[in-house]
Each structure stands twice: as C-alpha cells, then as structure tokens.
Amino acid sequence: AMMLDELGMLDKTQIVATDINPYQLVEAKNGLYPLEKLEEGQRNYLTSGGQRDMQDWLSTDKGYLKIMPRLRKHLTFYSHSLSYDGSFNEFQLIICRNVLIYFYPALQQRVMELFATSLHHEGFLMLGPSESINAGKGEELFTTYAKAEKVFRLRHQNTSKVQPDA
C-alpha cells in the first residue's frame, strides 16, 4: 500500500490479503507493529525501491507503529485456503511467497492452476525466493517476466475457474 501510494496508484487499488490462519488475519487487520521493527521495516522498504520515509504512513501509539487509516481503507482480509478454496476474484497481481515449497507436487499443481484462473489475462504472479515456476507445472501456465525478481505472466488466457474440491 505504501509503494502504491508513493506511485500515485493507491486510490485505484484494492489490496486483498489472505491467510488460512485466523490469528494472522486478526494481527494484520489490527495494523499494529512493534516500534522496534521500524528500522528493519524502513531498510526493507528502501531495498524494495521505496523512496520516502515509512513514517509518512505510520503513527505511533503506545509503543506501537500504526498504519494510517488512508492506507488501511484499501486493505481487506479474507480467510482462504489454497488447498481447499477456489478462486474468488480476478486479480492484477498475486504474490505468494514461500508457501509452495511446503506443498506436495499435486497440491502445487492445483495452486498454480488456481493462480492462473484467479489472474486477469494480463496479470502477474510473484513467487518467493525459495520457489520455482516449475512447481506444479507452473511453466505450462506462466512465462517469465522478470527472472531475478521471480515475476511471471500468464502464458494464455484461462476462462474456467478452479472450484473447491467436492
């Protein structure tokens, strides 16, 4: 949200964050982070290409960093299982970092198919540094867009949506 705001794109954006763990979703919805994480967060933000000070989007509240309401209004949180749930939207970008490495090959394939059917036909998939597009035959669904950054684009337009297993 900070990067999108910096690029002047936040007002055109809705960010959907998902997790299977309800505790993680509650923590994320709170938008509170320990004050001692600011320096590390600032370093990561700048490494990611950020140009401003993270404190432009944060306030302090009783020893915590709090995400500003203007950013939070663009964030929604949903419980979603890559193992069992189907597609629930058409996204421009899906970021899945360091999840696929824990799945067996058949589940990796199901998740790659889910990603393909959940993306807009011009959408992008970004994987974590430990993951490969080869997981779950992803190379059949996606082409490499930016190899070093692990960014991929749909190989072809998919019209059918993956449904949850019966």
Side-chain angles (χ1 to χ4, degrees):
M2 293 175 197
M3 299 289 269
L4 290 168
D5 191 41
E6 191 171 290
L7 294 169
M9 297 174 61
L10 184 62
D11 289 333
K12 302 174 189 177
T13 305
Q14 186 61 42
I15 300 168
V16 178
T18 64
D19 201 310
I20 193 171
N21 184 333
Y23 173 76
Q24 294 296 330
L25 289 172
V26 168
E27 289 292 305
K29 282 180 191 179
N30 286 337
L32 297 173
Y33 300 92
L35 192 55
E36 60 267 12
K37 294 284 188 178
L38 179 60
E39 187 177 318
E40 177 186 359
Q42 180 69 34
R43 193 170 43 253
N44 290 339
Y45 168 74
L46 293 173
T47 300
S48 298
Q51 302 294 314
R52 292 171 40 188
D53 190 317
M54 279 184 54
Q55 290 181 309
D56 293 346
W57 296 283
L58 303 168
S59 61
T60 56
D61 184 14
K62 298 177 185 169
Y64 285 92
L65 299 167
K66 186 174 184 175
I67 305 281
M68 296 282 199
R70 65 187 181 90
L71 292 183
R72 292 180 62 169
K73 73 179 184 177
H74 295 277
L75 301 167
T76 56
F77 300 89
Y78 291 100
S79 178
H80 187 267
S81 169
L82 291 173
S83 301
Y84 302 108
D85 296 333
S87 176
F88 66 92
N89 208 337
E90 185 175 74
F91 298 101
Q92 297 291 329
L93 171 65
I94 294 175
I95 301 172
C96 182
R97 296 184 51 86
N98 303 329
V99 173
L100 292 173
I101 58 176
Y102 298 105
F103 293 166
Y104 54 88
L107 183 54
Q108 288 176 344
Q109 183 168 347
R110 182 199 183 302
V111 170
M112 284 298 197
E113 290 169 357
L114 177 66
F115 290 161
T117 59
S118 297
L119 277 172
H120 181 272
H121 70 276
E122 295 179 358
F124 293 92
L125 169 66
M126 183 175 189
L127 298 177
S130 300
E131 294 167 319
S132 166
I133 193 66
N134 297 330
K137 300 182 182 178
E139 72 279 358
E140 295 174 11
L141 300 168
F142 300 94
T143 60
T144 301
Y145 183 82
K147 187 174 184 174
E149 294 81 11
K150 302 257 182 152
V151 177
F152 306 93
R153 197 161 204 178
L154 278 176
R155 186 173 289 281
H156 54 80
Q157 185 172 0
N158 294 288
T159 56
S160 62
K161 297 288 182 189
V162 172
Q163 298 300 316
D165 294 336

